[in-house]
Amino acid sequence: MVIGVDLGGTKVAAASLRERELGSPVIQPTDRSAPAALLDQVVALVRDVQRDRPVRAVGIGVASVVDFETGCVVSSVNLPLAHLPLRKLLGERLGLPVFVDNDATVAALAEAHDEELRMVAANLVMITVGTGIGGGLVLGGRIYRGVTGAAGELGHTLVGAPPTGAAASPGEFPRPGSLEQLAAGRALDRLAAEAAAGDRASPLGRRRAEGKPVFGADAVQAARAGDAIAARVVDIWAEWVGIGVANAINTFDPDEVVIGGGGAQAGELLLEAARRMALAYVLPGVGRHTTIRLARHGARAGVLGAALLALHELVE
């Protein structure tokens, strides 16, 4: 048995994996008050899942840039973990081998496996569309991390950067013209708010007139109900996601490109437009054997991928 932990900015989930069966996860809101408090929470969750049963290793997927070899968190925006040797600290506390990697990277590893946890895609690109955009790479059946552990940061690829001749300020993220700026959940929120302001008679406009906030999820709901203005909003957003998919195909020529994260809840409204745009922009002959799909493992991809990380590293 191994245990996987999905350590995110809003929640922490932990679950056991034994003989290709993932246990029910234990989930708590993330304690971001201090590094020590967060470490205490992770240790307590692992022990809760373990319940005195023998465990071989623990895998951690964390929403941060991670140096995999050392298990040290290089940088972290939403968690108080920057520069912490997470692998060493948790390993000492738990008395178990601990492996730490980026959360989108381990989600990609999960998506390379089918529902019965057999690896079915040796070359896979994962694009996670949420508040921001992340990504993960599985190449040749193994996680690809790059030199610093930051490979797969597809949200920071530049898909529409203005050629002004002046670089963005060093601390400005997401960069203007980046995939994250144009296709993340915040971009859909922005498009929905603009549409609501532009047409008061539309469902989004009426919602705004009632003093209610207008978000991307409202546009998705209105589009599903048949509103043409909302449908166009979702389509524009999904087309930008499709540009990101095209870049992934042109760069890696993978078996699969998988779209996950909260944005994937838009379902076919996202997938159809993203697939259409991606296939329009790939090089001739490239992508003929690439499947573009939504994530199959849904909300459990993070904790499942973390557990698979531990399992794979034990085998290695």
Side-chain angles (χ1 to χ4, degrees):
M1 186 172 78
V2 296
I3 292 177
V5 179
D6 182 14
L7 180 50
T10 58
K11 67 176 178 62
V12 186
S16 62
L17 177 64
R18 183 177 183 180
E19 297 179 354
R20 296 187 179 182
E21 183 175 344
L22 188 71
S24 298
V26 178
I27 303 173
Q28 293 180 358
T30 305
D31 187 342
R32 298 185 294 173
S33 60
L38 185 51
L39 290 176
D40 288 344
Q41 182 181 36
V42 173
V43 169
L45 275 175
V46 170
R47 288 175 175 161
D48 186 16
V49 171
Q50 183 178 3
R51 298 175 187 172
D52 298 322
R53 295 174 292 178
V55 172
R56 296 284 307 280
V58 176
I60 312 283
V62 58
S64 306
V65 177
V66 177
D67 181 339
F68 179 76
E69 293 301 322
T70 64
C72 183
V73 177
V74 177
S75 64
S76 187
V77 176
N78 296 314
L79 293 168
L81 296 175
H83 312 302
L84 279 183
L86 197 58
R87 178 177 182 176
K88 177 177 182 292
L89 294 173
L90 289 175
E92 290 173 349
R93 295 275 301 271
L94 294 168
L96 292 166
V98 173
F99 304 98
V100 183
D101 214 332
N102 172 264
D103 59 343
T105 297
V106 301
L109 180 62
E111 286 297 327
H113 293 71
D114 64 11
E115 289 82 356
E116 297 180 3
L117 302 190
R118 298 170 300 189
M119 179 169 273
V120 292
N123 300 285
L124 178 143
V125 179
M126 177 88 172
I127 300 176
T128 57
V129 183
T131 304
I133 289 185
L137 306 172
V138 175
L139 302 177
R142 297 172 59 88
I143 290 174
Y144 180 75
R145 300 180 175 90
V147 176
T148 65
E153 289 290 348
L154 303 177
H156 301 298
T157 55
L158 301 174
V159 298
T164 61
S169 61
E172 184 183 358
F173 286 96
R175 297 290 199 208
S178 67
L179 183 64
E180 181 166 309
Q181 190 222 14
L182 295 167
R186 286 174 295 199
L188 180 57
D189 290 341
R190 185 174 61 250
L191 290 168
E194 291 171 355
D199 191 328
R200 296 181 180 181
S202 69
L204 297 180
R206 291 195 298 271
R207 181 177 178 84
R208 181 176 183 269
E210 293 169 359
K212 298 177 181 177
V214 177
F215 296 112
D218 301 311
V220 172
Q221 183 178 1
R224 284 180 172 150
D227 179 64
I229 292 175
R232 182 56 186 151
V233 165
V234 176
D235 209 47
I236 291 170
W237 163 69
E239 286 176 352
W240 278 115
V241 175
I243 295 296
V245 173
N247 284 336
I249 295 173
N250 286 334
T251 304
F252 298 104
D253 191 20
D255 298 306
E256 297 185 341
V257 177
V258 180
I259 304 171
Q265 294 179 10
E268 288 298 320
L269 290 176
L270 167 60
L271 184 61
E272 190 279 328
R275 183 184 284 145
R276 180 184 70 243
M277 184 61 69
L279 295 179
Y281 275 84
V282 294
L283 291 168
V286 178
R288 289 177 300 165
H289 305 295
T290 300
T291 299
I292 303 169
R293 64 171 176 85
L294 299 175
R296 65 164 61 93
H297 292 299
R300 75 172 192 157
V303 69
L304 172 60
L308 287 170
L309 170 70
L311 194 62
H312 279 227
E313 292 304 317
L314 284 175
V315 172
E316 290 296 325

